[in-house]
Amino acid sequence: MPSEDRDRLLAVLEALPAGALVQGPADEVLATNQRFVRMFDLEGRADLSPGAPLRPVVPLVRALFAPGFSGPGSPGEILAGRRVHRTAEIPLTDGRTIRREVEPLRHGDDHLGALWTFQDITDRKRRERDLERDNLALTELARQRNTFTAAASHELRTPLTSIISFCELLADPAAGSALGTDQLAFLDAIRRNADRMQRVIADLLLTTRMRASGLELEFDAVDVPATVQDAVLDRLATPQGAAVFTVLDCARGPALRGDRHRLQQVLANLLENAAKFTPPDGRITVTAAPRGHFWEIEVADTGIGIPHEFHEEIFTGFVRAPNATGGGYPGTGLGLAISRTVVQLHGGTLTAGGAEGEGAAFLIRLPVAGPGPDTAPADQDAP
């Protein structure tokens, strides 16, 4: 090889971020870089001058491989691999890990040798092992959390059922109770809070089930206007819902392929939030109309609103906007997370709008045909 070409080759090899050796067609050394020499401590121990035989270098490099590494052992077997592209991750005795690549060099049908590169990937492998260990630990913590949540929720259900039953018994005049007005008000407060705790427990159990095995939906034809109307009427039947003026505007449209029960649960969550955060002199507006191949359902209110920076955060489990937590409004932050997951499983989207102090607006967009490859979201993680 002319000296000018050799100088260019050496300059290219020295610029590589890995140790490199160029092997000639007769298993001779054509060129190496200093990274290769330092990586295997070959300075003064091997002849790496151009034209020197490569066979004596192989055992010197091989001696640094960890005993557990399996691969061709003899210099002849190792050098014979120069005609095909090969990669291997090799542990060394000093704890390092290197990635070896052999790239054949050809010109037409002529075999010119091979380029051997050796890259130190010790830090990367250590990070991969640390990440794998952390993932295993997090998986176990998640399993323990789900087990604890499910067990605690079931344990709380029994006393709550008794509390609600005794509340009903005490409030029933036929049972011979003679409670005064104040006592009945106290009893009603106990009943309302017990009901709220039951809903919280139901949300916790549903979240646990969604994390563990996902949520199974029962798809059928859904009459959207009727479903929305039923959800609004159910909410108006509660004292809190009846306290806020509610407007319902539903257009006619095609039946939606979806799970009616789960969609009503989403609407119930949105309407409960709207009534909770809207003062008695406010307004809740519910609209539903088909838009192309989608149904769009919006629940808007004139309540405390949502800070713009929390329009996405509130869909994360147990996360609530600061004006909700600071205002003393009860809640766990699970309802919106569950609702978005249900909508996503329908192939749709649930987004938040509005501004703090100006009211909130939640828009549900559902494909009429149900979930499919063109509508399924990329992320369907449970809250």
Side-chain angles (χ1 to χ4, degrees):
M1 178 185 294
S3 60
E4 185 177 346
D5 292 341
R6 188 180 304 279
D7 291 341
R8 290 197 184 98
L9 177 59
L10 288 174
V12 170
L13 293 183
E14 291 299 338
L16 292 176
L21 179 146
V22 181
Q23 172 188 2
D27 295 343
E28 77 277 19
V29 176
L30 293 183
T32 61
N33 64 5
Q34 285 300 307
R35 281 190 178 86
F36 174 75
V37 175
R38 291 192 297 268
M39 183 175 290
F40 297 103
D41 191 24
L42 296 176
E43 187 69 45
R45 299 174 57 230
D47 183 5
L48 297 174
S49 59
L54 185 56
R55 188 175 295 266
V57 181
V58 174
L60 297 176
V61 173
R62 178 81 181 181
L64 296 182
F65 292 3
F69 174 71
S70 60
S74 70
E77 291 174 327
I78 294 174
L79 295 178
R82 69 190 184 279
R83 292 182 178 272
V84 293
H85 176 79
R86 297 168 60 200
T87 62
E89 291 184 1
I90 304 172
L92 302 186
T93 54
D94 58 7
R96 291 178 297 164
T97 303
I98 60 171
R99 178 181 175 83
R100 183 187 68 193
E101 294 196 41
V102 183
E103 189 65 48
L105 303 177
R106 296 186 178 88
H107 184 265
D109 295 333
D110 296 332
H111 176 68
L112 304 180
L115 171 64
W116 297 66
T117 58
F118 302 82
Q119 185 176 8
D120 190 334
I121 59 171
T122 306
D123 289 340
R124 192 188 78 189
K125 297 298 291 185
R126 183 181 297 115
R127 287 194 298 269
E128 289 178 356
R129 288 192 297 269
D130 291 344
L131 183 60
E132 182 178 1
R133 186 172 62 250
D134 291 344
N135 284 338
L136 289 174
L138 288 173
T139 300
E140 176 59 21
L141 286 173
R143 187 195 64 78
Q144 294 178 6
R145 175 199 59 194
N146 290 344
T147 301
F148 171 78
T149 302
S153 299
H154 283 295
E155 288 296 323
L156 287 171
R157 271 186 162 181
T158 301
L160 276 176
T161 301
S162 297
I163 291 172
I164 293 173
S165 297
F166 280 114
C167 284
E168 293 174 348
L169 182 63
L170 289 171
D172 187 2
S177 62
L179 300 179
T181 303
D182 290 342
Q183 292 170 320
L184 288 173
F186 296 155
L187 195 61
D188 183 60
I190 295 173
R191 172 62 190 266
R192 286 199 314 271
N193 282 280
D195 286 339
R196 186 167 68 85
M197 289 185 67
Q198 275 202 327
R199 291 195 298 272
V200 171
I201 290 172
D203 286 345
L204 285 171
L205 287 173
L206 179 59
T207 301
T208 301
R209 188 162 68 250
M210 292 165 68
R211 284 170 172 159
S213 59
L215 184 64
E216 293 184 2
L217 302 182
E218 296 180 2
F219 287 94
D220 203 347
V222 177
D223 185 336
V224 176
T227 301
V228 175
Q229 179 177 305
D230 289 346
V232 171
L233 292 177
D234 287 345
R235 190 61 203 167
L236 289 176
T238 65
Q240 190 179 33
V244 183
F245 185 71
T246 303
V247 177
L248 174 61
D249 181 13
C250 286
R252 293 182 177 275
L256 169 74
R257 182 173 176 269
D259 187 321
R260 188 177 191 275
H261 171 69
R262 293 303 180 188
L263 290 177
Q264 276 199 317
Q265 182 181 19
V266 172
L267 292 169
N269 282 335
L270 297 181
L271 289 167
E272 180 181 1
N273 282 346
K276 183 195 309 181
F277 297 117
T278 303
D281 59 346
R283 173 191 293 254
I284 299 173
T285 304
V286 182
T287 59
R291 299 280 188 271
H293 298 292
F294 290 82
W295 268 97
E296 291 187 355
I297 306 169
E298 185 180 61
V299 178
D301 61 61
T302 58
I304 64 173
I306 308 166
H308 181 75
E309 62 271 21
F310 278 84
H311 281 187
E312 278 297 315
E313 291 290 326
I314 57 175
F315 292 105
T316 302
F318 302 103
V319 173
R320 305 178 71 213
N323 58 339
T325 55
Y329 298 96
T332 60
L334 284 174
L336 289 177
I338 293 172
S339 296
R340 172 172 274 190
T341 300
V342 171
V343 171
Q344 287 179 335
L345 290 174
H346 280 79
T349 58
L350 172 59
T351 55
E356 185 174 8
E358 299 178 7
F362 290 90
L363 178 63
I364 305 171
R365 195 165 186 265
L366 297 166
V368 173
D374 297 329
T375 58
D379 183 9
Q380 294 184 1
D381 291 339

